Amino acid sequence: MTEREHVGFDWSKVGDTTPRDAAVRFGFGAGVSLGAALAGARFGALAGGLFLAFPAILPATLTLVEEHESTRQARRDCRGAAAGVPGLAAFALVVILVPDSPWISLPLATAAWLVTAVVSYLLWRRVREAFGLDERPLSDRHHHPPHRPPREVGTGFT
Amino acid sequence: MSGGLVPLLLKALNGGLIVTLFAVVGQVAQPKRFAGIFSAAPTIALANLTVVVLTVGTTDLRTYAIGMTVGAAGFLAYALGCQRLLDRFGSLPGSAASFVLWFAVALPGYWLVTR
């Protein structure tokens, strides 16, 4: 069993964001949001709704994480995103249930997303620990020597 | 009207700002697997639905959210498939190729919902 990962926030890393990184993320976000808006305007609200769950942060983040850290870290980000998907569904469910009071439902849906995503992550971590599931050793094979330990970033995690 | 130029630009601007904000939260979150949940944040939904409510009201809100549940299934396919493709191709080609998985799930899902 691996050592339990410490969950938290290292706010000192906020300063690590370069203007280029921010521009890439802003560009992805604006582009996907515009695409969703155009789909909604052209094909209706249901089609527009599809694109509300289109990956916007993830592709930009994966590219930047691989660039600054490693493919292994990018893959971890990807796994976390998969664990966070129930949160997206929880967000949509709250809006479906309370559509007429948006200034209540949107903050409530955001809270539901956060709680569901964190619980889903913690459950998945527990399952991973209980069954000894870990990453396949082939990660980073195209980018780093096979026995090189992952680069430590920040504090308190594997 | 939801398709007017100003709402479109507002949605794009809003999307860019919210994605950037959540990406910063994801950047400071540790470990990376936990940070990943912020990569699946409902950023585009918040950006678009806020403008929809302000410009056309709540009429279509429920329909947008139903579509979003289908899109979320596509997101799961994207995130799961992307792990494999990252290993094989690296982040940029891998994450770009994974969009096919999103469409492969979201479009049949859309077809099923509209039947």
Side-chain angles (χ1 to χ4, degrees), chain A residues 32-89:
Chain A
V32 173
S33 193
L34 183 63
L38 289 170
R42 175 71 180 84
F43 300 108
L46 193 65
L50 284 183
F51 288 90
L52 299 185
F54 193 81
I57 299 181
L58 193 53
T61 297
L62 292 176
T63 307
L64 294 173
V65 166
E66 185 184 68
E67 201 173 286
H68 296 312
E69 298 176 33
S70 67
T71 305
R72 179 190 294 268
Q73 294 289 13
R75 201 173 71 181
R76 286 179 172 172
D77 205 299
C78 214
R79 288 186 170 197
V85 168
L88 271 182

Side-chain angles (χ1 to χ4, degrees), chain B residues 11-107:
Chain B
K11 286 174 181 175
L13 182 66
N14 221 9
L17 290 174
I18 294 176
V19 162
T20 306
L21 180 69
F22 274 81
V24 168
V25 177
Q27 184 173 328
V28 302
Q30 295 177 349
K32 264 287 167 273
R33 268 186 276 239
F34 176 66
I37 68 172
F38 296 94
S39 295
T43 48
I44 303 302
L46 281 169
N48 271 260
L49 295 182
T50 308
V51 177
V52 166
V53 169
L54 289 172
T55 53
V56 295
T58 59
T59 318
D60 291 333
L61 216 53
R62 191 168 175 275
T63 312
Y64 272 107
I66 291 169
M68 188 180 168
T69 59
V70 177
F75 195 111
L76 182 62
Y78 179 95
L80 292 174
C82 196
Q83 295 171 29
R84 298 292 181 126
L85 294 174
L86 276 180
D87 275 332
R88 187 171 290 271
F89 301 114
S91 66
L92 188 59
S95 57
S98 302
F99 285 127
V100 173
L101 299 171
W102 185 89
F103 282 103
V105 172
L107 292 183

